[in-house]
Amino acid sequence: MKVTLARHGGLAAAVHLRRPPTVVDTDALPESAAAELAELVAAASTGAAGHEGPGPGRARDAMSYTVTVEEGGRSTELTQSDTTMSPEFAALLSWLEKHSAQQ
Amino acid sequence: MTRTRHVNCIIPPHLLDKLLHSDDSDVRKAALDTLLTTTRLRGERSVRATFAGAAAAGNGRRTVFDCRQGRFLPFAVLVRTEEGAESGDSSVNRAFDGLGTTRDFYQKVFQRNSLDGLGMRLDGYVHFGVGYNNAFWDGRQMVFGDGDGRMFTDFTASIDVIAHELTHGVTEFTAGLAYHHQSGALNESISDVFGTLVKQWSANETAETADWLIGADVFTPGIEADALRSLKAPGTAYDSPLLGKDPQPDHMSRFVNLPNTEAGDYGGVHINSGIPNKAFYLTAVGIGGFAWQAPGLIWYESLKASSMETKFQDFADTTYRKAEELFGAGSAEQLAVLAAWQGVGIQISGVPAGVARARSLAASRDGGVGRDDGLAALSKQVGALSAQLRELNEDLTALKAMR
Ligand SMILES: [Zn+2]
């Protein structure tokens, strides 16, 4: 399973526009970490965001995040933002951010 | 997740309101504590946070909350109010002071009572998330991250960033500029303009001496970058291997077309804001002196006269009209506005390009639109008026002689 995190928007949107996404391949992870990530992905896919529909809503300069999960030739995308994300998505995001900070 | 501000409570709402709005902070606190211990809501920080904020209504009263690295504002802890002492946490104090400076700026310069003009309270949330590289306005309050310490540092560090976010509130309560494409870039530009004006006002800097940078203090010292953006020279705020090059255009000929998606920054709202940003800078140096005075007033009045779908051209025309209403037709201020928009490739509607060029050339003699040119124009007008008065007087005298 390959998990990609792309960050969008925010006060420094112009900077994020050019930054490469964070990519995590579970094949390269220890078994326990891979299992943990798979669990977080599964939970985030079912956790409903309190989304106001497409667009920024009333928020300005909030960031949004697109997590792309590729597995067995299938690809699914999840996009949520600072102001609307579900706790499950937040948990996945924290894990990915922590992982990318350690790189 | 959607936060809810509605609270179920057994106390009649009017009594609750009275207690929570008491002038005595001890009464408010006691009422709050009683409510929390006598209802099933006890221990819910979200409730406490909501009430504590509600108690501080009117005249832009400030409240700062600590997210303690969490991502959900209802779980944040109240850490500073107007009545309370300074915090031991410098982020808390910087946010508190920044909210105050911005509030005072709008009050003293434009006689605007807080963001909505009605004394709306100002709530700030610090330490949002872990190493969060941003600050934002959530539609009701402002939120600051600590930065990851590698690229970015604490986002409470730049007063112009705080004022930028709060100005999004002012825009929502006035023009309501839609957050995509040109109206969105204008929305971003308004926040940069008033963000930088708050900084210049608090430091007593003139247009000539100010640095015109947004977020000069949010990068870590190791990062080769002046700031997030430059109003004076869009496209030059940074150029480094890690960040790339600042992509802001400074002229319509370099307008960047991006899709209206999250990944496309809603049509490049943080990119194309460089164009109106530069127009404001040119207006400010054209007029000269303190930029929050005539230039700021023209922009503020134009913001109030704009609407959701206002684009660059509409806004440029409005600033030209407002400059005339405020300072007179052909005034130095109006000519500076004309020349500024022309400098970024926008011709004011109804002013033929030839006339605009001749006028702005005349106006920019001796480097920039000077006060002297305005005075010369004014004395010419007074001269013409005096001649008319003299003629009128002579006519009157002649009429009297005939009777
Ligand atoms: Zn903004």
Side-chain angles (χ1 to χ4, degrees):
Chain A
M1 183 174 69
K2 197 170 99 176
V3 182
T4 307
L5 166 67
R7 305 161 181 85
H8 311 299
L11 196 61
V15 171
H16 297 298
L17 217 53
R18 305 189 165 203
R19 302 270 300 149
T22 297
V23 184
V24 182
D25 198 327
T26 49
D27 288 346
L29 291 176
E31 207 172 299
S32 61
E36 196 185 353
L37 178 56
E39 234 169 73
L40 288 168
V41 166
S45 313
T46 53
H51 212 273
E52 299 155 315
R58 289 170 64 228
R60 300 288 175 261
D61 300 323
M63 289 176 70
S64 57
Y65 311 86
T66 300
V67 175
T68 309
V69 182
E70 290 162 89
E71 193 174 23
R74 271 191 15 177
S75 168
T76 44
E77 242 182 39
L78 288 170
T79 297
Q80 295 193 13
S81 82
D82 284 332
T83 54
T84 60
M85 73 176 63
S86 67
E88 292 84 0
F89 188 91
L92 171 62
L93 178 64
S94 297
W95 194 97
L96 292 168
E97 299 250 321
K98 209 163 138 194
H99 183 84
S100 91
Q102 282 162 359
Q103 291 303 289
Chain B
M1 108 149 222
T2 308
R3 235 153 4 85
T4 164
R5 294 214 156 260
H6 177 75
V7 175
N8 292 310
C9 193
I10 49 163
I11 309 283
H14 66 273
L15 181 61
L16 179 71
D17 197 61
K18 207 169 172 181
L19 289 172
L20 290 171
H21 285 89
S22 165
D23 286 332
D24 187 339
S25 64
D26 286 337
V27 170
R28 288 201 304 273
K29 190 175 175 302
L32 185 56
D33 287 338
T34 308
L35 279 167
L36 289 172
T37 49
T38 55
T39 67
R40 60 201 156 84
L41 304 169
R42 172 172 39 182
E44 277 196 39
R45 290 187 196 284
S46 60
V47 176
R48 181 177 284 273
T50 305
F51 282 164
N59 299 315
R61 293 168 66 80
R62 298 162 290 175
T63 313
V64 177
F65 300 86
D66 185 348
C67 299
R68 300 181 304 172
Q69 304 200 306
R71 285 193 147 268
F72 296 98
L73 306 190
F75 299 118
V77 188
L78 174 76
V79 283
R80 191 163 173 197
T81 64
E82 294 287 354
E83 286 81 15
E86 255 193 36
S87 167
D89 179 340
S90 56
S91 300
V92 170
N93 295 331
R94 273 198 302 267
F96 190 81
D97 293 344
L99 295 175
T101 304
T102 307
R103 174 194 63 193
D104 295 349
F105 168 84
Y106 277 107
Q107 181 63 56
K108 288 180 180 147
V109 178
F110 301 124
Q111 290 76 54
R112 185 179 185 84
N113 186 3
S114 189
L115 309 183
D116 59 352
L118 299 167
M120 173 182 174
R121 67 176 203 267
L122 303 173
D123 295 344
Y125 289 75
V126 299
H127 304 310
F128 177 84
V130 178
Y132 180 65
N133 280 335
N134 194 29
F136 67 90
W137 167 255
D138 84 340
R140 170 63 194 80
Q141 48 233 335
M142 64 164 313
V143 182
F144 304 91
D146 294 330
D148 59 6
R150 293 200 296 181
M151 251 198 316
F152 292 103
T153 176
D154 192 338
F155 276 77
T156 60
S158 281
I159 174 68
D160 44 273
V161 165
I162 300 178
H164 172 108
E165 295 308 329
L166 290 175
T167 298
H168 278 307
V170 175
T171 298
E172 282 314 296
F173 286 110
T174 51
L177 291 161
Y179 207 59
H180 57 83
H181 296 119
Q182 283 200 14
S183 56
L186 205 49
N187 190 322
E188 270 305 310
S189 172
I190 293 291
S191 274
D192 279 352
V193 164
F194 290 96
T196 208
L197 286 184
V198 170
K199 183 168 81 173
Q200 293 176 16
W201 176 76
S202 65
N204 207 39
E205 291 171 330
T206 63
E208 294 76 20
T209 58
D211 65 13
W212 294 93
L213 297 172
I214 295 292
D217 305 308
V218 301
F219 286 106
T220 54
I223 297 289
E224 291 167 54
D226 293 334
L228 286 169
R229 289 183 284 278
S230 165
L231 287 88
K232 181 177 181 175
T236 68
Y238 52 88
D239 187 0
S240 80
L242 186 63
L243 303 172
K245 189 183 180 305
D246 176 2
Q248 282 213 310
D250 64 352
H251 193 275
M252 282 307 274
S253 61
R254 288 180 281 281
F255 188 91
V256 181
N257 285 300
L258 285 165
N260 181 16
T261 59
E262 277 144 330
D265 190 27
Y266 303 114
V269 297
H270 293 89
I271 311 288
N272 293 314
S273 53
I275 297 167
N277 275 358
K278 178 77 184 263
F280 181 77
Y281 165 78
L282 290 173
T283 300
V285 291
I287 293 172
F290 294 125
W292 61 86
Q293 293 180 343
L297 185 60
I298 294 168
W299 249 245
Y300 179 64
E301 290 301 326
S302 300
L303 175 66
K304 290 197 292 178
S306 295
S307 59
M308 278 181 76
E309 295 303 330
T310 296
K311 294 181 177 55
F312 291 0
Q313 180 72 56
D314 311 317
F315 191 74
D317 292 347
T318 304
T319 57
Y320 186 71
R321 199 178 70 239
K322 287 292 166 192
E324 178 165 331
E325 286 172 20
L326 292 164
F327 301 101
S331 58
E333 289 82 356
Q334 193 186 27
L335 293 180
V337 168
L338 178 72
W341 287 107
Q342 199 170 19
V344 299
I346 294 174
Q347 303 296 335
I348 298 299
S349 305
V351 181
V355 175
R357 206 169 304 124
R359 278 196 206 163
S360 65
L361 268 178
S364 61
R365 255 194 330 256
D366 310 322
V369 182
R371 245 291 128 227
D372 293 349
D373 297 290
L375 276 176
L378 198 66
S379 68
K380 236 169 153 180
Q381 284 170 10
V382 171
L385 215 60
S386 309
Q388 282 174 353
L389 267 175
R390 237 182 352 260
E391 269 178 43
L392 208 64
N393 248 329
E394 280 165 16
D395 286 350
L396 267 174
T397 314
L399 269 173
K400 271 187 192 157
M402 281 168 70
R403 287 224 308 241

